[in-house]
Amino acid sequence: MMQEILTSFASMLFKWPTRPIAATAALVIVSTTTPGVSEYFQPNSTGIKLQNGYERVYIQPFGNHGMRVRTSIMRDPTGYEWSALLDPPLEGPGGNNGLNYDIGIPFRGSATIRNGNIVASVNLGVLSFFRVESNGSATLLTKEYTDTKAIAPRFYTQDFRSSSFQSQFDFSSEPDEQFYGAGQQACCLDHSVNKKGQVVDLINFNSHVTLPVYMSNKGYLQYFNMPSQGRIEFGTFRTRHVASEATVVDYYITTASPGDYDALQEQFTAVTGRQPIPPDFILGYQQSKLRYFNQTQIIDLAQRFHDEQVNVSLIVVDFFAWKFQGDWSFNSEFWPDPEGMAATVRRLTGAEMMVSLWPSMEDLSVNYLPTQAQGLLATTRDGTGISDSFAGVYTRLIDSTNPAAREFLWKRLNDSYYSAGIHNFWIDQADGGTLGEAFENNGQAISQIPYARAFSQYFIGTQEAAGKMYPWFHQQAINEGFANLTGKDISIQCDHMSLTRSTFVGGQRFCSYLWSGDTDSRFDVLLQQITVGVSVAASGISSWTLDIGGFEGLNVDTDEGRELFVRWLSMGVFLPYMRVHGDRSCSLPPDPRQSFANRCPNEPWSYGEANFVIIKKYIALRYQLKPYVKRLFEMLQQTGKTIMRPLYYDFALSDPFIVTGTQTNDPKIVHQFMMGPRILVAPVGELGATSKEVYLPILSDTAKNQGFTWTHWWTDKDFGTGGKLVAIDAPLDEIPVFYLGLKSDILNGFL
């Protein structure tokens, strides 16, 4: 049947066949360009509707070289289902036309629609997607998976208690096809960039922020615009998306030339949103730990940074600075003058401050009864709303999907923090469903008992149907607060930021950045975080960071812990954000006056005198690189160009070793990354190592014609145009880094 589709499609390039349609009888594929846009093939139809018995399938042009498909059963989609897509897109055709269509086809009908270089073709009710090549030929991207004996590629299972359903959609894939993205998978064993052969669970919890979007090395990106829990199965011959609950299946697909991943990201972020440029201060060094537990500690910390003459851009107050969960305010016993504290920090260091907020609400909070009375807390299927426990109390969740709850939350944050000069917020534990973990009874010894996760229910729907968007609405609450309070358009440039442990597709359009959660402090995890970061970036989110040093398990009194911290910090210099955080171990006992009052240090001077010299060197380098980092964020905002780049982004077309190494997830390839287009970073992930083998990719002809060669950052030695492994000295103060072009251009932000 595939050969029949290809033969039929080839004839359509010049002659459009007559189809059984509702509004029009024939279309011509070589027509319709707008004035001044001679090279872009404008959509030749507003859409197709397939009436397949009780099933409806809508196919519409959306964005540049993109299609949007929506399906439902028993009734049409409303067009107002929850969506992370921008309507209309920032760039390209489509949007603002609801569910309009001008081609209607019946059961086992056929029709074709083109938008730019993507073609959606329905042949006897089966949907296929093609890319139109520059010579006019057509390349199959993927199609609904069919076989003589196979479950229908669009498969629904309906629960008799509601109009929603479980969906299972199957698409063809090639055995050697590679898939990238799918968000952030949990710490700490997954070192993959190519997801082929994996099953990715679509559910949020600590460190696990999987996203239903992936790119193929065949030159397409597919995104399921559904906040449902479920899974993606990257099988040998088919890719399957399963949604636990939905009322509409909604997906988007776009195409570009194979190897042009920047084009895919440009098109994808044009329909889901672009990252606003962060404020300059947050691109420097960020200081945090679990936890500074009173105001005096913060002021002493700022004084020490001042006295040591170490740059710091952000100082963070972690959790339980409140009296009760859900207060969203400082406990005045330990934080008597927040405004004075923030002013002192700013005067001593120039740094801004950030404060943690949790979504949990306990009964003793001053906000408990008002939020209950106004219906601003999430409920559960049994009606109590209790979804977890922490620190000896049962907790509920603020329902940030409810606009009234977002307004209530921001008012408390403004009254308690923003008005006092603390303008940045850390959204922690707001993963959705439970209080942030994959299990119930967070923080209790019984947490390993396999209770079912709470059946949380929100303003926008159930945890199963909409729960992956719960953290996204927390980001929106703070973004709305920023915008409404200042009256500024913050879609391009941010004044302040939120940090979040979880998000959904489209979260990149907020003044917010994601971090990878509570990771283990181990050398192998340091390297694993590279694959995490580049996978998130391939999912459209470049505004990302991690806990330098890992979150848990690092003892600051040991040589091993100190070496691990310095190695991790050296990598952090070259991440989108340089953020130190962790729950450190040491010989000091906790402070008995406060919960979670860990007194172990995590500051630059905490890792020994010799290491302090190295740490200051790396922090200084970060500030030298700020113009380059800022330029990368400007490019990200303008075109969606990825910052933390896996090697296949820039070298898949010039270097076969990159292709095979990515396919097999070879550590020599996937444990290196590009910071923007000009810096190659190869972190050391082995205790006691003094050297490292680094693979230098073969440069493209374009790069060679520009005179680029790989140059060692620390010695300025020229290593040529790549294609080889090189042994590099790697003392603690010299992370293996290479650059292209002139170092002076990089340091000045010229690309």
Side-chain angles (χ1 to χ4, degrees):
M1 188 176 78
M2 181 49 57
Q3 184 59 46
E4 295 173 1
I5 295 174
L6 288 168
T7 303
S8 174
F9 177 77
S11 69
M12 294 176 198
L13 290 174
F14 301 102
K15 179 181 178 182
W16 201 276
T18 301
R19 302 293 186 196
I21 57 178
T24 181
L27 293 169
V28 181
I29 199 166
V30 291
S31 65
T32 64
T33 57
T34 57
V37 192
S38 58
E39 295 184 0
Y40 190 87
F41 189 99
Q42 295 296 313
N44 47 27
S45 168
T46 60
I48 297 170
K49 179 183 179 181
L50 166 64
Q51 183 75 43
N52 189 43
Y54 67 91
E55 181 196 34
R56 285 88 162 146
V57 180
Y58 288 83
I59 309 162
Q60 296 175 301
F62 199 79
N64 285 326
H65 310 290
M67 292 287 176
R68 184 180 184 183
V69 179
R70 281 172 282 187
T71 80
S72 62
I73 58 175
M74 308 308 294
R75 57 183 62 80
D76 287 337
T78 66
Y80 297 101
E81 288 81 15
W82 292 103
S83 169
L85 292 173
L86 296 173
D87 191 356
L90 296 174
E91 299 160 3
N96 276 343
N97 62 350
L99 294 165
N100 290 347
Y101 63 95
D102 52 21
I103 304 175
I105 55 177
F107 169 69
R108 291 180 62 80
S110 300
T112 304
I113 184 172
R114 179 177 174 184
N115 174 26
N117 290 334
I118 194 168
V119 172
S121 178
V122 183
N123 187 291
L124 300 178
V126 177
L127 179 56
S128 304
F129 297 98
F130 299 85
R131 180 178 54 249
V132 180
E133 308 295 357
S134 58
N135 63 3
S137 64
T139 299
L140 177 68
L141 302 172
T142 187
K143 62 179 287 290
E144 293 176 333
Y145 179 85
T146 57
D147 201 352
T148 304
K149 301 294 183 183
I151 294 174
R154 303 188 303 270
F155 190 76
Y156 312 87
T157 304
Q158 191 165 19
D159 191 313
F160 71 93
R161 291 173 294 180
S162 69
S163 59
S164 59
F165 51 79
Q166 182 187 86
S167 64
Q168 176 179 293
F169 273 45
D170 292 350
F171 295 88
S172 64
S173 69
E174 300 296 327
D176 61 349
E177 190 170 354
Q178 299 180 37
F179 292 103
Y180 319 120
Q184 173 180 292
Q185 294 195 62
C187 173
C188 297
L189 298 177
D190 177 33
H191 288 250
S192 69
V193 169
N194 176 22
K195 306 301 178 181
K196 184 72 168 183
Q198 291 194 12
V199 175
V200 176
D201 292 323
L202 297 175
I203 185 171
N204 296 341
F205 52 84
N206 190 349
S207 295
H208 194 75
V209 192
T210 48
L211 301 171
V213 56
Y214 47 85
M215 296 192 297
S216 164
N217 66 334
K218 292 177 65 176
Y220 68 91
L221 176 152
Q222 190 167 15
Y223 159 53
F224 283 84
N225 183 39
M226 304 164 68
S228 313
Q229 294 184 168
R231 66 185 184 276
I232 301 175
E233 303 171 5
F234 293 107
T236 303
F237 296 105
R238 63 180 165 192
T239 301
R240 170 175 290 173
H241 175 272
V242 176
S244 297
E245 183 183 351
T247 56
V248 172
V249 175
D250 183 354
Y251 69 88
Y252 158 87
I253 186 170
T254 188
T255 189
S257 298
D260 194 350
Y261 300 102
D262 283 323
L264 290 178
Q265 289 297 319
E266 182 173 10
Q267 290 151 207
F268 179 53
T269 57
V271 301
T272 58
R274 300 252 167 84
Q275 178 69 45
I277 301 167
D280 281 358
F281 76 86
I282 212 160
L283 302 181
Y285 174 78
Q286 302 176 27
Q287 177 64 44
S288 180
K289 77 164 192 173
L290 188 161
R291 72 184 177 93
Y292 302 112
F293 53 86
N294 62 39
Q295 181 174 313
T296 301
Q297 287 187 329
I298 293 293
I299 293 174
D300 289 347
L301 175 69
Q303 185 68 56
R304 183 73 182 268
F305 270 103
H306 173 272
D307 295 346
E308 297 285 358
Q309 297 184 330
V310 176
N311 279 321
V312 62
S313 293
L314 186 72
I315 292 177
V316 183
V317 177
D318 200 354
F319 73 151
F320 275 76
W322 50 74
K323 188 174 183 180
F324 300 112
Q325 295 179 70
D327 283 352
W328 301 308
S329 63
F330 282 119
N331 182 343
S332 59
E333 179 182 354
F334 301 98
W335 309 87
D337 183 14
E339 185 171 9
M341 174 181 64
T344 300
V345 166
R346 197 172 291 112
R347 175 177 57 80
L348 289 171
T349 66
E352 294 288 324
M353 290 194 66
M354 174 180 279
V355 66
S356 170
L357 67 105
W358 280 24
S360 49
M361 176 72 68
E362 62 177 284
D363 294 8
L364 293 177
S365 171
V366 66
N367 295 316
Y368 171 67
L369 288 178
T371 52
Q372 278 283 47
Q374 297 174 54
L376 306 183
L377 300 180
T379 65
T380 50
R381 196 167 293 171
D382 60 7
T384 68
I386 293 173
S387 58
D388 212 330
S389 63
F390 196 85
V393 297
Y394 287 105
T395 58
R396 296 167 172 83
L397 295 173
I398 184 74
D399 184 2
S400 58
T401 74
N402 183 335
R406 294 198 298 274
E407 183 178 0
F408 184 98
L409 175 61
W410 173 255
K411 185 177 187 306
R412 296 297 297 131
L413 297 179
N414 180 43
D415 291 347
S416 302
Y417 308 120
Y418 195 94
S419 62
I422 301 173
H423 299 147
N424 306 280
F425 299 96
W426 178 2
I427 306 167
D428 200 358
Q429 303 291 134
D431 307 80
T434 63
L435 189 53
E437 300 294 348
F439 47 79
E440 289 286 351
N441 297 306
N442 193 339
Q444 294 189 41
I446 60 170
S447 63
Q448 293 186 14
I449 297 177
Y451 292 108
R453 282 165 55 96
F455 294 104
S456 296
Q457 299 190 122
Y458 309 108
F459 178 84
I460 65 167
T462 66
Q463 177 67 28
E464 293 89 337
K468 285 193 65 62
M469 242 175 153
Y470 177 78
W472 192 95
F473 281 105
H474 261 71
Q475 294 173 279
Q476 182 174 338
I478 293 174
N479 226 61
E480 290 169 342
F482 286 158
N484 293 337
L485 194 67
T486 63
K488 293 183 178 180
D489 177 5
I490 57 174
S491 62
I492 304 297
Q493 175 72 55
C494 304
D495 291 333
H496 312 294
M497 296 286 281
S498 67
L499 170 68
T500 184
R501 197 171 75 180
S502 191
T503 188
F504 189 64
V505 171
Q508 74 273 7
R509 60 182 181 250
F510 300 129
C511 289
S512 189
Y513 59 120
L514 174 71
W515 104 98
S516 62
D518 297 348
T519 55
D520 292 347
S521 297
R522 304 197 315 255
F523 277 97
D524 64 311
V525 177
L526 182 161
L527 296 175
Q528 186 257 356
Q529 291 293 285
I530 299 170
T531 64
V532 167
V534 299
S535 294
V536 171
S539 309
I541 297 176
S542 276
S543 193
W544 179 87
T545 189
L546 44 66
D547 289 350
I548 288 176
F551 176 72
E552 190 170 25
L554 191 154
N555 190 320
V556 301
D557 293 334
T558 66
D559 291 341
E560 179 178 348
R562 292 176 174 186
E563 181 177 336
L564 175 61
F565 180 83
V566 176
R567 288 298 192 192
W568 213 311
L569 182 93
S570 68
M571 180 174 76
V573 172
F574 298 94
L575 296 179
Y577 304 90
M578 185 182 186
R579 172 182 174 270
V580 165
H581 181 67
D583 184 13
R584 300 296 179 240
S585 301
C586 69
S587 59
L588 295 173
D591 192 305
R593 297 171 298 170
Q594 285 229 12
S595 301
F596 311 103
N598 186 349
R599 295 196 294 166
C600 295
N602 190 37
E603 294 71 45
W605 46 84
S606 305
Y607 292 89
E609 185 175 343
N611 288 330
F612 185 28
V613 175
I614 298 171
I615 290 168
K616 286 192 290 185
K617 174 183 174 179
Y618 280 130
I619 293 175
L621 176 58
R622 175 65 182 200
Y623 283 84
Q624 288 181 281
L625 287 168
K626 274 186 67 175
Y628 180 71
V629 179
K630 182 176 181 179
R631 181 63 186 131
L632 296 181
F633 272 105
E634 289 172 347
M635 295 165 65
L636 176 67
Q637 206 291 313
Q638 293 161 6
T639 66
K641 191 178 183 72
T642 301
I643 293 178
M644 187 176 178
R645 304 167 69 83
L647 297 190
Y648 67 79
Y649 257 64
D650 297 294
F651 308 109
L653 298 181
S654 60
D655 194 334
F657 188 64
I658 296 295
V659 176
T660 56
T662 303
Q663 183 176 30
T664 60
N665 292 306
D666 185 340
K668 290 189 293 293
I669 301 303
V670 301
H671 287 164
Q672 299 182 179
F673 66 95
M674 294 291 291
M675 182 200 192
R678 300 281 289 275
I679 297 177
L680 173 70
V681 187
V684 175
E686 182 182 352
L687 177 66
T690 57
S691 64
K692 182 179 174 70
E693 276 200 331
V694 178
Y695 182 73
L696 300 178
I698 300 172
L699 298 181
S700 67
D701 290 340
T702 300
K704 292 176 183 176
N705 291 337
Q706 291 177 279
F708 285 175
T709 56
W710 291 113
T711 306
H712 187 230
W713 185 270
W714 305 105
T715 64
D716 290 323
K717 179 180 177 180
D718 190 326
F719 281 80
T721 57
K724 57 188 177 183
L725 281 165
V726 296
I728 296 296
D729 289 339
L732 270 180
D733 64 341
E734 293 185 3
I735 178 176
V737 172
F738 292 80
Y739 65 93
L740 299 171
L742 298 176
K743 185 186 289 185
S744 59
D745 284 349
I746 293 172
L747 295 177
N748 287 304
F750 301 143
L751 300 182

